[in-house]
Amino acid sequence: LFREGQSTVKLLEARITSATERTADKLAIEVGDRTVFIRRLIFQSEKPILLHREHVIYDPARPLIEAEMGVTALRGLLNGGGGSDLKWGDLTVEATVLTEEEAVLLHSEAGVPAFQLEHIFYDFDDRPVSWGWFICSGDRLRFNATIGIPDQEEAKS
């Protein structure tokens, strides 16, 4: 998914919204402040793999929104759009199930086990500027980890 050319991104929706209590809390803004809500599908080999929803703080003086809307690869989403003002982020993975809407968009079935990858991205002043989440059917995402220190000879092969 993260290799160049492995994924494509399709913008489904972009609109200005008023921050709900939850959105305001995540982005450290006031309830009712304006955000841009963006919804996209990430494809791999023309199959929808991830649904992404995101709230970006509305600030017409910053190029963040244009950078986010212009992203065409998953790597670009996680690297902070098109080289914008993002410094770092937090990512949390949780188990969930697909809703009706998510199942339709991901060509799956409602109630199927899924992963939710929630993110908050921060600017260079360490202020949150973007909060959102990816949804992926549980059968389409696999996490691998190496525990301990691998043998140097085995690591070279």
Side-chain angles (χ1 to χ4, degrees), residues 53-108:
R53 296 180 187 107
E54 175 180 40
H55 291 272
V56 179
I57 293 177
Y58 178 76
D59 183 351
R62 297 174 90 175
L64 181 61
I65 294 166
E66 290 81 1
E68 285 293 306
M69 288 175 53
V71 170
T72 58
L74 179 59
R75 175 177 283 192
L77 282 175
L78 296 176
N79 284 346
S84 61
D85 296 334
L86 301 180
K87 176 182 174 186
W88 65 282
D90 285 324
L91 184 67
T92 304
V93 180
E94 295 181 12
T96 188
V97 295
L98 293 181
T99 66
E100 272 299 326
E101 175 200 14
E102 294 162 350
V104 167
L105 290 168
L106 294 171
H107 300 174
S108 190

Side-chain angles (χ1 to χ4, degrees), residues 12 23-24 111:
L12 300 176
T23 302

Side-chain angles (χ1 to χ4, degrees), residues 110-132:
V112 167
F115 290 108
Q116 176 176 296
L117 293 84
E118 182 179 351
H119 66 78
I120 299 178
F121 295 135
Y122 296 83
D123 65 14
F124 281 87
D125 293 322
D126 295 323
R127 294 179 306 212
V129 292
S130 165
W131 164 64

Side-chain angles (χ1 to χ4, degrees), residues 139-156:
D139 64 342
R140 296 188 183 149
L141 187 62
R142 171 179 237 134
F143 293 96
N144 294 311
T146 301
I147 305 298
I149 302 170
D151 181 54
Q152 292 302 320
E153 290 303 312
E154 289 180 26
K156 291 179 184 178

Side-chain angles (χ1 to χ4, degrees), residues 3 18 24 31 41 44-45 50 61 77 98 125 145 147 153:
R3 287 189 208 113
S18 296
V31 171
L41 265 177
Q44 184 177 42
S45 303
L50 296 167
L77 282 175
L98 293 181
D125 293 322
I147 305 298
E153 290 303 312

